[in-house]
Amino acid sequence: MGLGRTYCVALVGLNGYIVEAEADIGQTLPAFVILGLPDASLNEAKERIRSAAQNSGIPLSRRKITANLIPASLPKRGSGFDLAIAMAALCAAGDIRTTGRTVFIAELGLDGRLRPVRGVLPAVMAAVQAGYPDIVVAQANAAEAELVPGARVQGYKTLARLAFDLGADPQELALDFEPEDEEANEEAGRTPGTVPDMCDVAGQGDARRALEVAAAGAHHLLLTGPPGAGKTMLAERLPGLLPDLGDTAAMEVTAIHSLCALPSSSLQLVRRPPFESPHHTATSAAIIGGGTGLPRPGAASRAHRGILFLDEAPEYERGVLDALRQPLESGELVIHRSAGTAAYPARFQLVLAANPCPCGKASGKGIECMCTPMMRRRYLARLSGPLLDRVDIQLQVERVSLADFGQAGGEEDTATVAGRVRAARRRQLQRLGGLGMETNSQVPGRILRGEFRLAPTTTRILDQSLARGVLTARGYDRVLRLAWTLADLGGRERPDLNDIGQALSLRQAASAAA
């Protein structure tokens, strides 16, 4: 009897750490002990591993097995360590040959089946970056693991087949067991959904233009208007205007979705910007992230590189909305809990939709509205000033007129608008690529007022708004970013006075209407 050693990965947020799994077989009475700060699900691996090995034809030793996960100070959670511990125990007993620097990531079923787990993509990324490119996962996770460049991935369906490839005695193995391919059956039943099109929106010329500007520069957006004006319809069509994600961004988004997806789901590289629309009853943990133990990502992180849409925004808890202020500036969420700290990327585009009052009728002349002025102020005050100051475009959406419904087929479709957005994004990338940025929304104020400084005659109206206290310093910079986006959409090298005026009106439209 000796010592067996394999490798696996522990995830803390999106960061992965190589864990060395040791197994020692002692000379005392039968027992199975797991050391190294395991959580409840990992501590239950003892029974899963024993049954899986028994039903695979390679039962574990009847003596005491001690499994140690190094580093012992790092908390470990989940069932993804099952396979690594099982292989270490079989190595210690001499049933299979040593596995070298191969990393094992899979859960074991009692029948010896290798089950998929969450977070395979970030785990494999961490292993490759640490110099461990040889990866063994469940067959259902193989396609996801192969997305990582440089990874040499092997997918297996059963523990017996893996043990056979590692030199176990084929006379004893249960090699005739082949589980049904449930994942393939599940995938076959899926049908792609239809993408909402901009031509479905009747009228709303100002709102359509604001949506195009928001997509071109990745600007945050607030739509205020009565029920039925089309706020939700507009927001749902914004993802269709955004260009596909690049390789780096796609890997970031897919890694987050790998942590959140069901283990049985087949995950592919996410090329389209995600769209998250949580209900207004969602808690802070659901939107920001958290939970017991090590914190998990919320809707804000799942919307990374995409859209976070909050419909009926004043109905959300005030604390939930204000918690979004930090990621709007930094593009990252750092969540602290007693079991540890996790950092998740959260560079999303925030879209808010709100009624003008509790009854929603305080629009236009507002004759039918029964809300008192105090009720209106209290309702809209749920959107705090510091949060709104971070929203670039604030637009009042009016009701659709009868004339707008009579112009069927006259609206531009998503493909046409998306083409202009892609052209504007290319101009931004050419200008900002050397600075490590992609869109105008990422440009800091020191650059806007430095090497990208505009002539005083161009920014005169903006300077006057700042001097009168109409704009804050943050608002001043955000209007400049909007102006640069308008210039990019117009094919101009630099913003002119008209771009500054349009950008200022886009930011102040909702407040002026209120």
Side-chain angles (χ1 to χ4, degrees):
M1 301 297 176
L3 180 70
R5 180 179 288 107
T6 57
Y7 298 93
C8 45
V9 178
L11 287 175
V12 180
L14 278 182
N15 298 319
Y17 302 92
I18 290 293
V19 172
E20 186 177 324
E22 295 179 327
D24 175 74
I25 299 180
Q27 300 296 325
T28 56
L29 294 176
F32 200 151
V33 180
I34 297 180
L35 309 175
L37 289 184
D39 69 344
S41 61
L42 176 52
N43 210 32
E44 293 170 350
K46 297 178 289 189
E47 304 306 324
R48 291 195 297 268
I49 293 171
R50 277 199 182 278
S51 297
Q54 180 71 35
N55 292 321
S56 298
I58 43 173
L60 298 183
S61 171
R62 296 184 178 276
R63 299 186 181 275
K64 181 179 180 181
I65 300 175
T66 303
N68 184 33
L69 302 176
I70 304 172
S73 59
L74 180 69
K76 302 162 189 75
R77 57 180 298 173
S79 56
F81 299 89
D82 288 8
L83 185 57
I85 297 173
M87 301 313 291
L90 293 175
C91 283
D95 293 327
I96 60 173
R97 63 174 180 266
T98 58
T99 59
R101 292 166 62 86
T102 302
V103 174
F104 297 90
I105 307 170
E107 176 185 329
L108 287 176
L110 298 184
D111 57 359
R113 186 184 312 187
L114 268 60
R115 305 293 299 173
V117 294
R118 287 188 178 101
V120 164
L121 183 64
V124 174
M125 291 171 61
V128 172
Q129 291 171 2
Y132 294 78
D134 295 309
I135 313 292
V136 172
V137 296
Q139 184 65 48
N141 282 144
E144 179 182 343
E146 289 171 351
L147 296 175
V148 180
R152 297 191 291 266
V153 179
Q154 292 179 288
Y156 287 89
K157 292 184 178 181
T158 63
L159 178 61
R161 181 61 61 180
L162 174 57
F164 173 75
D165 288 350
L166 291 175
D169 185 0
Q171 301 297 325
E172 303 293 336
L173 295 174
L175 297 175
D176 56 341
F177 169 66
E178 286 294 336
E180 184 181 355
D181 195 351
E182 297 176 355
E183 289 75 19
N185 295 337
E186 179 182 336
E187 190 70 25
R190 297 177 185 169
T191 55
T194 57
V195 178
D197 200 291
M198 286 288 289
C199 63
D200 298 332
V201 181
Q204 301 295 7
D206 292 341
R208 292 169 63 94
R209 175 62 173 172
L211 212 65
E212 181 178 345
V213 175
H219 301 289
H220 307 305
L221 176 66
L222 167 64
L223 300 173
T224 306
K231 304 185 296 295
T232 302
M233 176 180 284
L234 287 162
E236 290 174 344
R237 280 145 183 80
L238 180 56
L241 304 181
L242 302 180
D244 288 342
L245 300 175
D247 292 340
T248 302
M251 289 297 290
E252 291 177 358
V253 174
T254 309
I256 297 173
H257 287 207
S258 176
L259 284 176
C260 305
L262 293 175
S264 59
S265 61
S266 180
L267 188 65
Q268 299 177 345
L269 189 64
V270 179
R271 284 294 185 183
R272 292 299 303 153
F275 181 79
E276 289 288 329
S277 180
H279 193 261
H280 63 260
T281 57
T283 63
S284 178
I287 295 180
I288 304 302
T292 58
L294 290 174
R296 301 191 63 82
S301 293
R302 294 196 301 273
H304 178 59
R305 303 283 187 173
I307 309 295
L308 178 62
F309 175 47
L310 302 184
D311 201 4
E312 306 294 343
E315 301 294 340
Y316 287 81
E317 294 183 7
R318 176 73 175 267
V320 173
L321 294 174
D322 286 340
L324 294 173
R325 286 153 51 181
Q326 177 210 349
L328 287 179
E329 293 291 337
S330 64
E332 185 181 48
L333 275 167
V334 182
I335 308 171
H336 297 265
R337 293 293 183 271
S338 59
T341 300
Y344 296 106
R347 192 170 296 282
F348 55 85
Q349 195 172 343
L350 179 64
V351 179
L352 303 172
N355 293 325
C357 66
C359 74
K361 299 179 180 179
S363 180
K365 296 181 180 180
I367 299 176
E368 299 179 357
C369 178
M370 303 300 292
C371 303
T372 65
M374 179 61 70
M375 292 171 62
R376 298 179 189 175
R377 284 196 296 269
R378 285 178 177 174
Y379 183 74
L380 292 178
R382 297 177 185 177
L383 303 177
S384 66
L387 175 64
L388 292 180
D389 199 35
R390 291 166 166 82
V391 179
D392 306 318
I393 302 174
Q394 303 178 21
L395 187 71
Q396 177 72 21
V397 181
E398 300 296 343
R399 294 183 185 275
V400 180
S401 66
L402 181 61
D404 293 327
F405 280 105
Q407 299 176 355
E411 306 293 356
E412 289 184 317
D413 59 7
T414 293
T416 303
V417 181
R420 294 197 296 267
V421 170
R422 287 194 300 271
R425 288 281 184 107
R426 285 194 295 268
R427 295 188 185 96
Q428 294 171 53
L429 190 59
Q430 291 173 358
R431 183 174 63 249
L432 304 174
L435 302 174
M437 291 171 281
E438 299 176 356
T439 60
N440 290 326
S441 64
Q442 299 173 327
V443 183
R446 60 179 176 79
I447 294 181
L448 291 170
R449 299 186 300 273
E451 55 189 287
F452 290 166
R453 177 182 290 274
L454 302 177
T457 55
T458 304
T459 61
R460 182 178 63 252
I461 184 175
L462 195 56
D463 297 336
Q464 292 172 354
S465 298
L466 180 64
R468 295 198 308 267
V470 177
L471 284 178
T472 63
R474 181 189 290 116
Y476 185 99
D477 291 341
R478 292 188 178 274
V479 172
L480 286 177
R481 293 169 186 152
L482 278 174
W484 278 99
T485 300
L486 289 167
D488 290 328
L489 284 169
R492 293 178 291 277
E493 292 295 326
R494 299 175 71 84
D496 55 22
L497 185 60
N498 185 47
D499 293 327
I500 295 292
Q502 288 187 49
L504 192 59
S505 66
L506 282 173
R507 182 171 178 82
Q508 297 179 335
S511 58

